[in-house]
Amino acid sequence: MAEARSAEVAVARELTAFQKNILTVLAERPRYGLAIKRELESYYDDEVNHGRLYPNLDDLVSEGFVEKSALDKRTNEYALTDAGMEAVKDDLTWSLEHFVTDSERAELVDAIVEEA
């Protein structure tokens, strides 16, 4: 079991920033494709084209980080799997371990968490 988790973490660490951002959006709640697209466009302050979004979603599904289900005949919903949640957690942990280097930065992170 530890080997499987270790392999998932290794794969997750090779994801692109765009793919990690998709996982982060889905960590909040499951969404359909257009809702993911809108959230990413808000973050990037630029258009995210379908030719970029959906192949990345398909890759995340095939890697086991995202689950895809049909909402209706035309709309799919995407949700984070346990492996996807672990990938988000691993990425946040690594970032925080390198960012929080003193009490001032720790307080900054605390303030960000309180605002969220």
Side-chain angles (χ1 to χ4, degrees), residues 22-90:
I22 291 171
L23 295 180
T24 300
V25 167
L26 291 173
E28 185 178 15
R29 67 177 178 277
R31 298 174 192 247
Y32 59 97
L34 189 56
I36 297 167
K37 181 181 183 298
R38 288 181 185 141
E39 191 68 31
L40 291 169
E41 287 174 340
S42 173
Y43 175 72
Y44 289 114
D45 197 26
D46 197 12
E47 183 180 352
V48 172
N49 101 24
H50 291 269
R52 181 178 186 198
L53 176 62
Y54 289 99
N56 279 287
L57 279 168
D58 289 341
D59 289 346
L60 292 169
V61 169
S62 69
E63 292 290 347
F65 299 115
V66 173
E67 183 177 78
K68 176 177 165 181
S69 59
L71 279 178
D72 58 40
K73 291 182 181 182
R74 296 183 49 196
T75 309
N76 291 314
E77 182 177 66
Y78 298 89
L80 219 51
T81 62
D82 290 343
M85 186 62 81
E86 283 297 316
V88 172
K89 182 179 150 195
D90 180 67

